[in-house]
Amino acid sequence: MRPAALCLMACLLALGCEAQPLPTQTSLEVAQTVAFVTQNAPPVGFDQGVRFAPIDRNLESLPHWHAQLVIRFEGFLAGSTQPISGTLSADIFSNQVSAERRVVLRAEGDAFAMSEGRNVEGVRLGNTFYFVDQNGACSVATDDPNRRRVAELNIGDLIGGVRLAQHTYGRKTERAMALWQYGFLPSDVDLPLIAPTQGGTISVLSGDLWIAPSLNAVADYTLTVRLESALVPIFQGNTQLSGTLTITYRLVESGTLYNIAIPFGC
């Protein structure tokens, strides 16, 4: 082969090599993003938004569960500079199949106009209800609607829930549950706990929601709300409050058969 032909072939081979594009940084980043989204997307049925209003929706479909709730207020009586605070907490144990339930309520702080904290307990065993007052005295409460309400407490009646939330691709495993994080708009928060007043304001400052798709239930929910001249009946009845309200809800676990018995003294 002539030298000119060899030269031409060498040029063609060189051009052929140069014609093969190398992966760009942008395409690598896109691939990494797609991989991240694929690996962290929630299961089918939970990838187009979720609705948990009330927040304890679907718990009744679980055979057993234990949930905790803490509601805390720090602020003032509207128009006053005297600080007040209060915390209401609840532990709820449920054996749904056997219609057994135990609820322990604790209230403390001057927001309740109490000099010291109070604990009360409600227990349901089938169709029989028991109530343990702040002094530890137990009574059968089957025919007393006010005392029955403790054992029948629904978390959603106090703190409402989220009407619509979208997944954020955050995920983790806690308490033997695979959890996905969801975000929501302040306008999608349902808050039956708070009653607005004329001229008052209610502002959602922050919130967080984690869902356990395997249970179709909320695993964790936190919310911080700023109040200006609003009513929070569980704390001060019809007295207007200004300050910060913090809500923390947690599904501690499910699947354990709890020993829910007649309270001592009944």
Side-chain angles (χ1 to χ4, degrees):
M1 186 177 292
R2 295 180 180 181
L6 290 173
C7 183
L8 178 60
M9 289 183 63
C11 289
L12 289 172
L13 288 174
L15 289 172
C17 293
E18 290 176 0
Q20 300 298 319
L22 294 174
T24 64
Q25 185 65 31
T26 301
S27 64
L28 289 175
E29 290 175 353
V30 169
Q32 291 169 351
T33 300
V34 171
F36 172 84
V37 169
T38 302
Q39 292 169 5
N40 292 280
V44 174
F46 294 85
D47 53 352
Q48 300 298 320
V50 296
R51 292 169 173 82
F52 283 92
I55 207 71
D56 52 354
R57 178 185 171 193
N58 297 332
L59 282 189
E60 70 278 0
S61 66
L62 303 178
H64 318 285
W65 51 269
H66 171 204
Q68 292 177 332
L69 171 66
V70 178
I71 305 170
R72 179 165 179 78
F73 173 77
E74 293 186 359
F76 308 86
L77 297 177
S80 169
T81 58
Q82 179 65 36
I84 63 169
S85 63
T87 301
L88 176 69
S89 60
D91 264 282
I92 304 101
F93 301 85
S94 178
N95 295 325
Q96 292 287 137
V97 176
S98 54
E100 297 175 345
R101 217 163 186 265
R102 178 173 179 252
V103 178
V104 180
L105 289 176
R106 305 176 183 87
E108 59 183 357
D110 51 9
F112 293 99
M114 298 184 305
S115 58
E116 58 183 21
R118 290 184 181 179
N119 296 354
V120 298
E121 179 180 348
V123 171
R124 176 186 179 181
L125 298 174
N127 294 319
T128 304
F129 294 79
Y130 303 91
F131 176 77
V132 181
D133 66 19
Q134 64 271 17
N135 298 313
C138 180
S139 60
V140 178
T142 302
D143 299 323
D144 187 335
N146 290 327
R147 294 192 168 194
R148 277 183 56 166
R149 287 194 185 100
V150 176
E152 295 176 320
L153 174 70
N154 288 317
I155 297 168
D157 291 342
L158 286 178
I159 64 172
V162 178
R163 288 183 284 264
L164 178 64
Q166 302 289 346
H167 66 277
T168 66
Y169 297 106
R171 63 176 299 184
K172 61 183 178 181
T173 299
E174 284 188 0
R175 310 188 297 276
M177 296 183 289
L179 308 179
W180 275 261
Q181 186 183 42
Y182 287 74
F184 48 88
L185 299 174
S187 58
D188 286 320
V189 175
D190 177 32
L191 275 174
L193 174 69
I194 304 173
T197 62
Q198 186 174 4
T201 60
I202 301 171
S203 305
V204 175
L205 301 182
S206 63
D208 199 17
L209 181 68
W210 290 85
I211 304 297
S214 62
L215 303 177
N216 193 17
V218 173
D220 292 292
Y221 175 57
T222 60
L223 192 72
T224 302
V225 180
R226 178 68 187 177
L227 311 177
E228 294 293 343
S229 298
L231 301 179
V232 188
I234 65 168
F235 287 111
Q236 283 285 328
N238 292 323
T239 302
Q240 296 181 27
L241 300 175
S242 295
T244 302
L245 187 76
T246 305
I247 295 170
T248 304
Y249 166 80
R250 175 182 174 92
L251 179 61
V252 179
E253 62 95 29
S254 66
T256 297
L257 178 62
Y258 301 103
N259 180 22
I260 301 176
I262 298 174
F264 178 78
C266 279

